[in-house]
Amino acid sequence: MSLTAAAAVGGAIGITHALEADHLAAMATLVDEKRAGHIGASWGIGHTAPILILGLCFVALGIQLPDQVTTAFEVVVGVVLVYYGARLVADAAGVRRETHSHDGPLHRHLQVAGLSLGLTHGHLDNESAFVGVLHGLAGSGGLVVAMAATAGSPDAALAFLLAFGLLTTITMTVVAAVWGRTLGTGLTRVLKGIGGVLGAAIGAALVAEVLLGIALLP
């Protein structure tokens, strides 16, 4: 396969891969209306990193993650989606976290009826990148690595993986930006509630599919 063909195939698969149900669920539960595109891009970068590393290791050395490991990460992804979905539902119900700084690094408080409870530190983009890494290590990421190995040469495999990562990131950035803009309408709380419920439901369905063999996702 030529470099151009490998890049074209990788890019096309990257676009469709970004639109998988569990990936969209992650965006629905992670995105806020202020930094949506940045959060989507962070997910894409986090998702691309392990796939690129594993893909190159597989092509160069024949090293791949055992099926048990990728399956375990699918379960972790499902649990994480349930958590973020529940968190978004809580946010829609008025139990929310406040992110601000006191002349220093950004940090968060749990905000309930105007009262700040506790201290945690972090950034939404870090969360999104973390979830992206988990997705990259899960089963669908392993399939992408296997596809890269069929490109025919290390250069073609690299072109495939780079195009896949780039188009996945761009697609998710656009999806996140659109969702963030939608959240900026007057239906913010309703949309967050719906997004949270759907995100948690997809996460639970993913866990059920892996652990119980019940195929609920398309």
Side-chain angles (χ1 to χ4, degrees):
M1 185 183 298
S2 69
L3 295 181
T4 301
V9 172
I13 293 175
I15 293 172
T16 57
H17 182 76
L19 298 176
E20 291 181 2
D22 55 332
H23 299 163
L24 296 178
M27 285 301 96
T29 56
L30 286 167
V31 164
D32 62 30
E33 55 269 35
K34 296 179 181 178
R35 302 187 307 118
H38 184 62
I39 292 171
S42 296
W43 182 95
I45 293 170
H47 181 267
T48 299
I51 290 180
L52 181 60
I53 294 171
L54 291 173
L56 293 178
C57 287
F58 181 74
V59 171
L61 305 173
I63 299 174
Q64 60 180 326
L65 289 178
D67 290 341
Q68 295 89 337
V69 174
T70 57
T71 299
F73 274 109
E74 286 188 7
V75 175
V76 173
V77 167
V79 172
V80 168
L81 287 178
V82 171
Y83 163 73
Y84 283 123
R87 191 181 72 176
L88 189 63
V89 171
D91 180 58
V95 180
R96 63 189 71 222
R97 298 170 308 159
E98 178 188 4
T99 302
H100 60 252
S101 64
H102 303 287
D103 298 323
L106 286 175
H107 58 275
R108 290 185 182 137
H109 302 286
L110 183 64
Q111 190 78 6
V112 182
L115 178 65
S116 295
L117 304 175
L119 291 171
T120 57
H121 293 79
H123 303 280
L124 278 175
D125 56 296
N126 290 338
E127 290 182 342
S128 186
F130 166 72
V131 176
V133 169
L134 291 181
H135 275 113
L137 292 171
S140 58
L143 290 176
V144 173
V145 170
M147 291 178 189
T150 66
S153 70
D155 289 344
L158 179 60
F160 176 95
L161 290 170
L162 290 175
F164 170 86
L166 178 62
L167 268 297
T168 299
T169 301
I170 291 174
T171 301
M172 194 55 79
T173 301
V174 172
V175 168
V178 171
W179 177 241
R181 185 173 292 274
T182 304
L183 289 177
T185 65
L187 298 174
T188 300
R189 293 182 64 179
V190 173
L191 291 172
K192 283 186 175 181
I194 293 173
V197 170
L198 289 177
I202 290 174
L206 182 59
V207 173
E209 182 174 340
V210 174
L211 296 183
L212 304 177
I214 303 174
L216 299 174
L217 296 176

